[in-house]
Amino acid sequence: MTRIFSGVKPTGHLTLGNYLGAVRQWAEVDQYRAESLFSVVDLHALTVDHDPGRVRRLSRQAATLLLASGIDPERAVVFVQSHVDEHARLSYLLECVATDGEMRRMIQYKEKSVLERARGGSVRLSLLTYPVLMAADILAYGADEVPVGDDQTQHVELTRDLAERFNQRYGQTFVVPRATPPKVAARVMDLQDPASKMGKSHESGAGIVYLLDEPEAVRKKILRAVTDSGSEVGYDREAQPGISNLLEILAACEGGDPEALSGAYTSYGALKKDTADAVVEVLRPLRERHKELVADPAYVEEVLRRGAERARGMARPTVDGAYRAIGLLPPANGAR
């Protein structure tokens, strides 16, 4: 059976972009067609300056939202990355296969390091090397597919390169995965800056719809979305990025085609209203289920405990095999 792995980083509150671009597909499609692992990748949140308490709160919130989205912990493995030691164990081995040049070519490192320096901060080494940890996240489980947005495909390509290099040097050890981006809304853009991704950690939240926003807040943000010069509603990412973003969001919510939808509107106002209605309705059951889960924290804790146990059992044979393949002496009597 096909195996897939993907994760969410607890660096901010999850957004409509996270949901339409990834999480909804995990819940509605991926967990039914494949053996699935979905992780809150909290180690990745440590690559920049952070508040420890906030990381813990956001990690719990992200796990709760994954469950609220409809991911079934009896069908898929839901867990927190730091609860499974194999991620960190394998990451170091892959650092011994990766090169400095590969790390510095990563687009996200270039962008985030510039922002960090602009804020007067120092760039952590982990910001440079975290794509290797991401590769370890995937390769530890022998994942065949990695459902990601288009901004993460470069990291999956790096993962493929590292897996092939390790296999060539030390013997067949890893499955070489492939990225599987969703067909619609792979990259939802900021409502106030349609040239930028709708990101969790954007300094201004005016253009970001968070999954736990109240319905009126959702409507207000969409109705205030930046549009384009002119008045014709058309689907053209280059010429009309604001309107095209709204059309993609509406299409993702209703299961339509953004270009076909553009022909149904003669005004920006009507498109914004329908998009706002569609988003509120899509998020309604998720918000209701999240409220139920927050009232039962013991259930979420148990899901994460069992998920980590299952994930550990799946990852350990592969990681132990990588340790043997690269030349490390096994511990006496299997002790670790």
Side-chain angles (χ1 to χ4, degrees):
M1 189 176 185
T2 298
R3 181 177 289 180
I4 65 176
F5 174 93
S6 201
V8 293
K9 187 164 58 173
T11 51
H13 300 286
L14 296 188
T15 72
L16 180 67
N18 298 129
Y19 183 66
L20 294 181
V23 175
R24 187 174 66 168
Q25 178 172 300
W26 303 349
E28 295 182 356
V29 178
D30 292 335
Q31 69 171 335
Y32 296 104
R33 70 176 180 85
E35 187 175 27
S36 304
L37 298 103
F38 303 118
S39 180
V40 178
V41 287
D42 54 344
L43 295 175
H44 291 291
L46 311 184
T47 59
V48 295
D49 190 33
H50 63 277
D51 173 71
R54 185 169 187 265
V55 170
R56 282 190 288 270
R57 290 192 300 273
L58 290 175
S59 295
R60 176 181 288 278
Q61 183 185 92
T64 305
L65 283 168
L66 290 183
L67 298 175
S69 74
I71 294 174
D72 181 356
E74 299 302 319
R75 183 181 293 275
V77 182
V78 181
F79 68 104
V80 175
Q81 177 193 32
S82 64
H83 294 176
V84 181
D85 292 346
E86 277 62 33
H87 292 255
R89 289 181 62 212
L90 182 55
S91 183
Y92 180 73
L93 295 196
L94 296 178
E95 284 187 13
C96 297
V97 176
T99 68
D100 175 75
E102 286 175 316
M103 297 300 98
R104 295 187 187 280
R105 284 195 296 272
M106 294 289 107
I107 294 170
Q108 290 207 10
Y109 169 73
K110 292 179 180 179
E111 294 176 347
K112 291 181 179 180
S113 61
V114 168
L115 290 174
E116 193 65 26
R117 291 189 182 98
R119 286 195 291 260
S122 57
V123 179
R124 300 185 182 191
L125 179 61
S126 56
L127 185 62
L128 178 66
T129 61
Y130 90 89
V132 177
L133 176 58
M134 186 180 292
D137 297 338
I138 299 164
L139 298 180
Y141 298 101
D144 303 286
E145 297 181 10
V146 189
V148 292
D150 58 3
D151 61 320
Q152 292 292 333
T153 54
Q154 186 187 36
H155 290 147
V156 179
E157 287 305 311
L158 173 69
T159 300
R160 291 173 55 84
D161 291 343
L162 295 181
E164 291 172 346
R165 192 177 306 154
F166 192 102
N167 290 346
Q168 290 167 1
R169 291 180 182 176
Y170 306 114
Q172 187 65 36
T173 304
F174 298 119
V175 172
V176 180
R178 62 185 181 276
T180 54
K183 292 182 174 64
V184 179
R187 198 174 195 195
V188 177
M189 312 307 279
D190 190 289
L191 295 170
Q192 292 298 315
D193 179 14
S196 300
K197 174 186 170 184
M198 186 182 284
K200 296 190 296 293
S201 53
H202 198 287
E203 290 184 7
S204 170
I208 303 171
V209 173
Y210 297 104
L211 297 187
L212 296 179
D213 275 346
E214 294 292 337
E216 284 312 304
V218 172
R219 292 183 192 280
K220 184 178 294 186
K221 289 177 180 180
I222 294 175
L223 292 176
R224 292 179 176 177
V226 167
T227 51
D228 311 296
S229 59
S231 58
E232 184 178 345
V233 177
Y235 181 66
D236 186 329
R237 268 291 183 188
E238 295 298 320
Q240 292 185 285
I243 290 300
S244 296
N245 188 38
L246 291 172
L247 287 166
E248 287 207 5
I249 292 171
L250 180 59
C253 289
E254 297 186 343
D257 174 76
E259 190 165 3
L261 281 172
S262 67
Y265 292 94
T266 58
S267 74
Y268 292 171
L271 172 61
K272 286 182 174 182
K273 181 183 181 301
D274 284 359
T275 303
D277 289 343
V279 171
V280 167
E281 185 58 28
V282 160
L283 296 185
R284 179 184 54 76
L286 182 147
R287 285 170 43 80
E288 291 174 354
R289 179 59 177 151
H290 176 268
K291 185 176 181 180
E292 294 172 359
L293 290 169
V294 167
D296 189 4
Y299 170 74
V300 177
E301 288 284 352
E302 179 61 15
V303 166
L304 295 179
R305 186 195 65 77
R306 288 189 287 111
E309 195 172 80
R310 291 170 63 191
R312 197 175 301 117
M314 296 165 76
R316 182 160 292 177
T318 297
V319 177
D320 284 350
Y323 268 59
R324 289 191 300 270
I326 207 169
L328 297 177
L329 192 67
N333 300 320
R336 183 178 302 118

